[in-house]
Amino acid sequence: TKLDDTHTALHKKNKRKKRRSIQQAKHRETMRAAKREYMEASLLPQNYKPALSKQDVLIASDAIQRFVEARFKSDLKLLKHPAPLAFESTSKINDDLDGSEAHKAVSFHIANVPRDRGVASVETVAEEYGLDAEVVQSLANWKRVMLQWYGFDVGRGLFCESTSIRKGYKGDVTHSNVANQWDWELRIDASQRTTEFLKSVVMTIWRIIKDCERMVAEDFGLEPSLPEQITFVTSEELHAAWPNESIHGRETAAVNKWGAIFIIGMGWPMADGSAPEEIRSPSYDDWNLNGDIIVKHPKTGYRHELSSMGIRVDADALRKQLEHRGMTHLAAAPYHSAVLEGSLPLSIGGGIGIARLLMLLLQRGHIGEVHVGVWHQDHHDQARAYGINLIPDRLVK
């Protein structure tokens, strides 16, 4: 009938209208996502085209990790050790990073009470053995305790493949809230607490990185980008050379000039009273005998930090650094008191970012291409707009 025909035409019109509305909404969402800058756009690679397939990245990642770990064992005389996932809280053995509230470790409570299997018991069990624990942020302090526990001689040590949660960090091109690194520690004696010894260890690590880059070039066809030598520069020299730049700005300027640098002295304020090159925990590195390996990333052109390391605090260095940071209350904690009493071995140690090294040597534009992080949807959207597909931790829109 004529009425039926009218209803059919109206129904079709409404379907077309609804379809257009959905398409317009999708277009607006696409435009909104493209315009939003979850990450600073200048850090993202331009005209990015990954050199290797996703599966080739897995194969190459495995090769890199096996290569580096073999060289840790041969060049640095380190044994591989299982990595803990958490520490008992009151020991203060966890890394407190810069000591700020924002960077406090993720904590949880362990009740240590018996539970019925299957059906939960309705009875309340008195908690007698409960304790508080923290998720690992790094193994800096714990490794030094392990040197003592295993009785390592001077010139020997250990390394772990550790995973930590850094809840206070906003994810970006090189930062993930889930961090993985090689945590290493080497026993030394008092005569080796010098800048020259620090440099010698840095050069050993640099040689491992360069040799690994050559392996990647030969086996996977990626053009090397790192200089043969690493340049040593103090934080004061860096500050003096680029006084008007931000901290990351002068580090980027430095790697654009030299390709790879090791910045010596991270933690103390500059001589002119300005902020330190980086705020460090007072508990592990001696701020006069530590530093970072930073290189130029071939895709982003930006500073790319690979490692933070240093000669560890002795009693004098720890006391001064705790006083400077107004954290002298930590002197009574088990770990800190052991350092102040001189009962722990002297050591040098640090962390080398596994995903950071993979991102560099495999020339990927984002750490999330070689590492499983927890990323906001807007992070995924912006990365895709630049040709970057992050490894998902879930079904991603």
Side-chain angles (χ1 to χ4, degrees):
T1 65
K2 195 169 183 179
L3 184 60
D4 289 336
D5 291 339
T6 302
H7 282 165
T8 300
L10 185 60
H11 178 68
K12 289 180 178 179
K13 182 179 179 181
N14 287 337
K15 283 185 69 175
R16 287 195 299 270
K17 186 177 179 181
K18 185 177 180 180
R19 190 161 51 244
R20 279 198 304 272
S21 178
I22 291 172
Q23 291 171 344
Q24 288 169 356
K26 285 182 177 180
H27 178 71
R28 284 195 300 271
E29 179 60 23
T30 301
M31 295 301 292
R32 180 190 65 82
K35 289 178 180 178
R36 176 184 277 116
E37 287 194 357
Y38 180 90
M39 296 173 281
E40 186 180 335
S42 63
L43 306 184
L44 291 158
Q46 305 298 314
N47 304 314
Y48 177 61
K49 292 182 179 179
L52 298 177
S53 71
K54 295 174 183 177
Q55 291 189 23
D56 284 341
V57 167
L58 289 179
I59 295 168
S61 295
D62 181 60
I64 289 169
Q65 290 180 78
R66 284 188 287 108
F67 182 97
V68 171
E69 292 190 7
R71 292 291 293 272
F72 282 164
K73 297 172 184 177
S74 63
D75 294 26
L76 289 169
K77 310 302 181 190
L78 304 176
L79 299 179
K80 189 170 185 179
H81 192 286
L85 292 176
F87 296 123
E88 190 274 329
S89 296
T90 62
S91 68
K92 301 299 180 186
I93 205 167
N94 203 2
D95 181 357
D96 62 357
L97 302 179
D98 61 9
S100 68
E101 184 68 24
H103 292 159
K104 282 184 68 174
V106 174
S107 60
F108 59 98
H109 184 71
I110 301 171
N112 273 331
V113 295
R115 304 288 186 190
D116 290 340
R117 296 185 65 181
V119 180
S121 173
V122 295
E123 297 179 6
T124 301
V125 180
E127 185 179 316
E128 187 178 358
Y129 304 107
L131 58 90
D132 293 321
E134 297 175 347
V135 176
V136 164
Q137 296 210 107
S138 93
L139 306 180
N141 299 334
W142 176 82
K143 291 176 298 178
R144 193 169 173 182
V145 174
M146 291 300 100
L147 293 182
Q148 180 189 52
W149 197 84
Y150 280 100
F152 281 107
D153 294 329
V154 171
R156 301 278 176 168
L158 55 82
F159 74 95
C160 303
E161 184 179 338
S162 68
T163 300
S164 59
I165 295 177
R166 307 282 180 85
K167 67 178 177 60
Y169 290 10
K170 182 186 178 186
D172 61 26
V173 174
T174 60
H175 290 89
S176 170
N177 296 117
V178 181
N180 65 339
Q181 64 179 10
W182 288 295
D183 258 306
W184 63 273
E185 202 78 14
L186 182 71
R187 184 167 186 170
I188 64 173
D189 61 33
S191 69
Q192 294 171 310
R193 297 193 78 258
T194 65
T195 302
E196 289 310 307
F197 181 74
L198 172 66
K199 288 181 177 180
S200 72
V201 175
V202 171
M203 287 188 286
T204 299
I205 291 172
W206 186 248
R207 186 169 63 246
I208 294 171
I209 292 171
K210 276 297 300 177
D211 289 348
C212 189
E213 183 187 46
R214 278 187 275 271
M215 179 274 291
V216 171
E218 292 171 4
D219 292 356
F220 299 95
L222 296 178
E223 191 71 23
S225 67
L226 299 173
E228 285 300 319
Q229 302 299 324
I230 189 167
T231 298
F232 291 94
V233 58
T234 68
S235 56
E236 287 285 355
E237 290 168 341
L238 204 64
H239 181 65
W242 291 279
N244 299 319
E245 289 281 1
S246 66
I247 290 173
H248 284 184
R250 57 179 172 255
E251 291 173 358
T252 297
V255 295
N256 276 317
K257 179 177 181 179
W258 291 303
I261 60 174
F262 183 79
I263 306 172
I264 301 172
M266 310 281 270
W268 289 111
M270 298 292 104
D272 63 4
S274 56
E277 186 67 20
E278 186 169 88
I279 296 174
R280 289 287 173 85
S281 166
S283 303
Y284 49 93
D285 286 347
D286 184 323
W287 293 344
N288 294 313
L289 295 169
N290 68 346
D292 287 353
I293 295 176
I294 303 176
V295 303
K296 179 181 179 178
H297 192 279
K299 293 296 183 182
T300 67
Y302 193 65
R303 64 176 293 283
H304 189 81
E305 182 183 330
L306 288 177
S307 176
S308 173
M309 57 177 286
I311 292 173
R312 305 310 195 186
V313 289
D314 58 10
D316 184 57
L318 177 59
R319 192 175 294 109
K320 289 176 180 176
Q321 291 173 190
L322 287 175
E323 288 173 357
H324 174 74
R325 290 292 300 278
M327 300 171 72
T328 54
H329 61 281
L330 288 176
Y335 172 78
H336 298 74
S337 61
V339 174
L340 293 170
E341 292 164 3
S343 61
L344 288 178
L346 297 175
S347 65
I348 181 173
I352 300 173
I354 298 174
R356 293 269 183 91
L357 185 64
L358 297 177
M359 178 185 168
L360 173 74
L361 297 184
L362 300 180
Q363 300 178 13
R364 310 304 281 193
H366 193 291
I367 197 169
E369 293 180 278
V370 294
H371 166 76
V372 183
V374 182
W375 315 108
H376 192 278
Q377 182 63 46
D378 287 345
H379 198 137
H380 281 279
D381 292 342
Q382 188 183 10
R384 275 199 297 267
Y386 283 80
I388 297 169
N389 287 298
L390 308 180
I391 301 172
D393 68 307
R394 61 192 185 279
L395 287 172
V396 178
K397 297 175 185 178

